[in-house]
């Protein structure tokens, strides 16, 4: 009676909440609007027209719920839903079904599909977080359900699973020259008119900006991170180096076409006349007037560093917040926008990076982060390092160019050219490349129509469409030409190379019109009608958005599914252990079966360890042979080629038309890295020789070899399971000599062995995936080791060249550089490839270590799983297992149901292993039926099958106590306590699930 009263007290507020929810939905019945509807507030709901917040006809409650489910995606149908419906709910359902049959099926937009999957993901992650916390709480509270070492290991594993439950994102790096329309493109992508400042000044592109979505931001939020004092001092030295005269005095004014105009513009932007009026008195003229000369660079440096303009901001992070986009942009412009090269008091040269977030940028809601990069090489060392880091770690790289220059633009050619393509190929990022041609609405119709041989009366949209197709084909052709060229240079080209490359690599190309999109979307109304496109899809911004959603959701899908399946494996293992742990291990001849299996387990475990170790060792040997047989010889061949070419490479820098003498000196001061990277140019012959071999070894072969490791481990675990299970007998063949306890034990052993194999294989697969990810990350670092080693070998020449000054210093500087490479070239390139070979050896050791750790973890998982068969347990331990089992079972089913709903939202099927692990659909239905009874405020009595199981358990426990001499009174009290605990766990678990729903 007390339990029923407590349950009624809990049910009463829940029923009130349910009634309130019903009332709220009924109130909303008079004005239901689709959240993602861009056509206005009017919506066709349930066959009746809702306009302006007033319904034109009555609408049944169930029909409104049906419409909400269409808009929001599949929701977790908790027990309270079925309890609320009753007879009236059934009538509503029939009416909804009749109305649904009359109207055509609703086609969901891409935005609605994205919203549905996001909701399913959030629901799945939330339920799994609850499940993990619930299991951890129960296992911690009921200590003693297993041996101490087993308990500790399982709890530690569960804590790690909780840490992994997070949603991944995607990093997109956007590169392109000023004037390519990057800012306008990104404004259109995030659905804004001018949230990002747009301007045509070259220097503005030096500001690195990251855009992302944030729920916790009310409007717009920006962080402006400035350079440190030390970083600006280095930058200032580099700028002043380009503005130093032969006599050591500073250059205070330059022409716009001068080689050092960019350096002057940065200093003037910050310091203004404090820099340009930096003159000092050097004497008087014969007539008594003062004589002035420009300050020496050393004195000017000290003066500028004392200036408060830069000093007040260096090393700080400025925060900007505003709900209004225009006010936000104006606040950000003072940090990132060079309004006029002749306007002083600007801060953009001091900015390292800008981060902007908003809850209005729903295009990025799936987790994408857009990084607007200033270019692949920035004059500022700190910003250049940040850009290179983003490029190396990018999930997608967008190259942006104006459509009129897309086929021959210098920056586009450089980025799509040999060096950039080669680095992407070696990094395994070739599939991440995207080309975007902007301003497809900018065209001279007659000229393009003539060049493309179109009809004279073709419309502007027809001409633009034809040009778009031509640009896409041209860029795709250039992309394949570049890949084929790399094969030729490495000596791997053959007659089918072109077809193989076309099958492996495709360059996505988007020809977009950001301004026409903004006009058609109602974002830019004051600028008149669209120039070319009459349909918003022609601007290709929707297609670009969809690509962002698809790529991000694919990454999230794989990550979330992996996390949920890991939790299900864990909880399933706990459930199997509890089912065995609640039984008497010596009853009905069960001890004989367990002893046989223990002997078989000990014998087979040693063989399993050997087989898993063998699989890892064979993989390491195969990969090592690939490195030694393919990559190593090509490195040596490339070093030999570079030895013969490096002298001419260095001589080409000394030609005045290629590099001004002051720029040459600035390169020496910065160890060869300034407006160009001398060290990379000297290393280029080595990379030409090895790039395609490197890509095949790491991006292609290595991944396939790691998949073979998974298959081999699966076969070994399957063999182990069969050997151990056969020792316990085959439950599919009835053996009349066995007791009912022994037969039941055989069935449980089969389930336990299946779960042990799945869990241990999942553990090994996680280790293999981790090894693959580690190899991919490390090889990107290793393949960049040649350039730093060449830089180290060239340091004496750089330092000596920079030290030259006075008349003739330019010629002496060039001579020092050329003589250095001539005398040290052989040793220089021999030493340059050593870090690569050493790095590959180190990587092999790291891969072996990670895989062996996976083997150890898989073996431990096997031992933990099977320990439930022969672990010692008394009455108290069995009682704790029995008390834990109902709650763990409910949590397991909830996690499985969360995965099922997630896969349904994604249009995927439940994995076969989960179907085979106990008829998942049946499990869910049973859970729902039981929850319906509890949620309806009914009795908390157990079902007949549960009563029978409990009676059998307590009968076995009482029989054991009698054998051990225990008193009947103690047995009865403990039995009643355990029964109360089991039922309380089941009721509370159902109530928690109901509240979560």
């Amino acid at each position: 009676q007390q339990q029923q009263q407590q349950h009624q007290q809990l049910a009463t507020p829940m029923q009130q909440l349910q009634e309130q929810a019903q009332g709220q939905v009924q109130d909303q019945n008079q004005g239901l609007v689709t959240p993602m509807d861009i056509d206005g507030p009017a919506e066709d709901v349930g066959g009746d027209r809702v306009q302006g917040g007033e319904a034109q006809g009555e609408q049944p409650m169930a029909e409104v719920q049906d419409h909400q489910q269409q808009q929001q995606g599949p929701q977790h149908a908790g027990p309270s839903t079925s309890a609320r419906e009753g007879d009236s709910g059934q009538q509503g359902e029939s009416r909804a079904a009749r109305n649904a049959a009359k109207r055509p099926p609703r086609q969901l937009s891409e935005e609605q599909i994205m919203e549905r999957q996001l909701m399913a993901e959030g629901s799945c992650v939330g339920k799994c977080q609850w499940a993990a916390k619930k299991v951890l709480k129960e296992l911690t509270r009921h200590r003693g359900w297993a041996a101490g070492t087993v308990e500790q290991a399982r709890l530690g594993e569960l804590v790690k699973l909780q840490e992994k439950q997070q949603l991944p994102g995607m990093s997109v790096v956007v590169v392109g020259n000023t004037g390519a329309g990057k800012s306008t493109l990104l404004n259109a992508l995030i659905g804004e008119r001018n949230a990002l400042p747009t301007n045509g000044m070259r220097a503005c592109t030096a500001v690195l900006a990251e855009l992302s979505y944030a729920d916790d931001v009310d409007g717009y939020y920006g962080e402006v991170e400035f350079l440190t004092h030390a970083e600006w001092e280095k930058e200032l030295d580099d700028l002043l180096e380009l503005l130093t005269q032969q006599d050591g005095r500073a250059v205070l004014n330059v022409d716009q076409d001068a080689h050092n105009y960019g350096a002057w513009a940065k200093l003037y932007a910050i310091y203004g006349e404090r820099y340009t009026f930096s003159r000092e008195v050097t004497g008087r003229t014969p007539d008594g007037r003062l004589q002035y000369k420009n300050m020496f660079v050393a004195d000017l440096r000290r003066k500028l560093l004392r200036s408060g303009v830069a000093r007040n901001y260096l090393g700080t992070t400025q925060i900007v917040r505003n709900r209004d986009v225009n006010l936000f942009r104006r606040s950000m412009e003072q940090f990132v926008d060079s309004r006029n090269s002749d306007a002083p008091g600007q801060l953009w040269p001091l900015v390292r990076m800008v981060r902007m977030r908003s809850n209005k940028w729903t295009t990025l809601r799936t987790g994408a982060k857009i990084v607007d990069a200033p270019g692949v090489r920035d004059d500022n060392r700190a910003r250049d390092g940040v850009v290179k880091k983003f490029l190396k770690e990018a999930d997608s790289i967008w190259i942006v160019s104006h459509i009129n220059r897309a086929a021959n633009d210098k920056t586009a050619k450089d980025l799509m050219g040999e060096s950039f393509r080669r680095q992407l190929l070696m990094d395994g990022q070739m599939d991440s490349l995207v080309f975007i041609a902007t301003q497809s609405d900018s065209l001279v119709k007659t000229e393009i129509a003539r060049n493309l041989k179109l009809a004279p009366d073709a419309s502007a949209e027809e001409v633009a469409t034809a040009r778009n197709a031509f640009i896409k084909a041209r860029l795709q052709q250039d992309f394949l030409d570049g890949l084929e060229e790399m094969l030729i240079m490495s000596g791997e080209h053959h007659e089918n190379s072109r077809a193989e490359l076309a099958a492996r690599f495709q360059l996505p190309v988007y020809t977009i019109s950001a301004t026409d999109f903004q006009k058609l979307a109602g974002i830019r109304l004051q600028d008149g009608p669209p120039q070319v496109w009459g349909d918003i899809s022609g601007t290709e911004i929707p297609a670009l958005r969809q690509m962002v959603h698809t790529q991000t959701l694919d990454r999230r899908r794989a990550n979330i599914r992996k996390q949920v399946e890991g939790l299900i494996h864990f909880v399933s293992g706990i459930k199997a252990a509890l089912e065995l742990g609640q039984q008497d291990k010596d009853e009905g001849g069960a001890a004989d079966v367990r002893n046989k299996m223990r002997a078989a387990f000990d014998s087979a475990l040693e063989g399993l360890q050997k087989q898993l170790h063998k699989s890892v060792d064979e993989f390491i040997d195969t990969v090592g042979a690939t490195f030694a047989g393919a990559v190593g010889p090509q490195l040596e061949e490339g070093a030999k080629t570079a030895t013969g070419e490096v002298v001419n490479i260095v001589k080409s820098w000394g030609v005045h038309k290629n590099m001004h003498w002051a720029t040459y000196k600035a390169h020496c001061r910065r160890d060869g890295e300034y407006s160009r990277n001398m060290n990379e140019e000297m290393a280029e012959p080595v990379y030409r020789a090895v790039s395609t071999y490197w890509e095949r070894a790491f991006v292609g072969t290595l991944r396939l070899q790691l998949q073979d490791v998974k298959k081999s481990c699966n076969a070994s675990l399957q063999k182990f399971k069969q050997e151990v299970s056969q020792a316990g007998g085959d439950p599919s063949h009835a053996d009349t000599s066995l007791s009912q306890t022994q037969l039941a034990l055989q069935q449980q052993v089969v389930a336990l062995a299946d779960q042990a194999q799945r869990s241990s294989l999942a553990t090994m697969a996680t280790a293999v995936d981790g090894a693959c990810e580690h190899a991919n990350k490390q090889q990107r670092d290793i393949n960049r080791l040649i350039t730093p080693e060449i830089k180290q070998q060239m340091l004496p020449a750089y330092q000596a060249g920079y030290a030259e000054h006075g008349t003739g210093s330019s010629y002496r500087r060039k001579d020092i550089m050329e003589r250095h490479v001539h005398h040290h070239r052989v040793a220089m390139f021999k030493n340059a490839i050593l870090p690569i070979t050493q790095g590959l050896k180190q990587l092999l050791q790291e891969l072996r270590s990670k895989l062996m750790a996976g083997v150890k973890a898989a073996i431990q998982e096997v031992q933990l799983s099977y320990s439930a068969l022969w672990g010692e347990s008394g009455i108290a331990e069995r009682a704790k297992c029995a008390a834990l089992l109902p709650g763990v079972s409910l949590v397991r089913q909830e996690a499985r149901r969360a995965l099922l709903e997630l896969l349904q939202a994604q249009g995927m099927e439940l994995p076969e292993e989960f179907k085979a692990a106990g008829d998942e659909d049946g499990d869910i239905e049973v859970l729902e039926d039981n929850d319906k009874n509890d949620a309806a405020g009914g009795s908390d009595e157990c079902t007949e099958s549960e009563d029978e199981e409990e009676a059998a358990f307590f009968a076995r426990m009482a029989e054991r106590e009698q054998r051990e001499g225990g008193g009947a009174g103690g047995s009865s009290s403990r039995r009643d306590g355990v029964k109360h605990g089991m039922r309380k766990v089941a009721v509370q678990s159902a109530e928690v699930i109901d509240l979560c729903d």
Side-chain angles (χ1 to χ4, degrees), residues 60 62-63 87-101:
E63 196 170 338
D87 295 337
S88 62
Q90 295 176 0
Q91 295 175 0
E93 288 177 355
S94 62
R95 291 183 62 185
R98 290 195 299 270
N99 290 336

Side-chain angles (χ1 to χ4, degrees), residues 741-753:
T741 302
Q742 290 174 319
L743 292 175
L745 179 61
Q746 285 184 346
Q747 296 288 347
Q748 292 176 335
V749 166
V750 171
L752 177 70

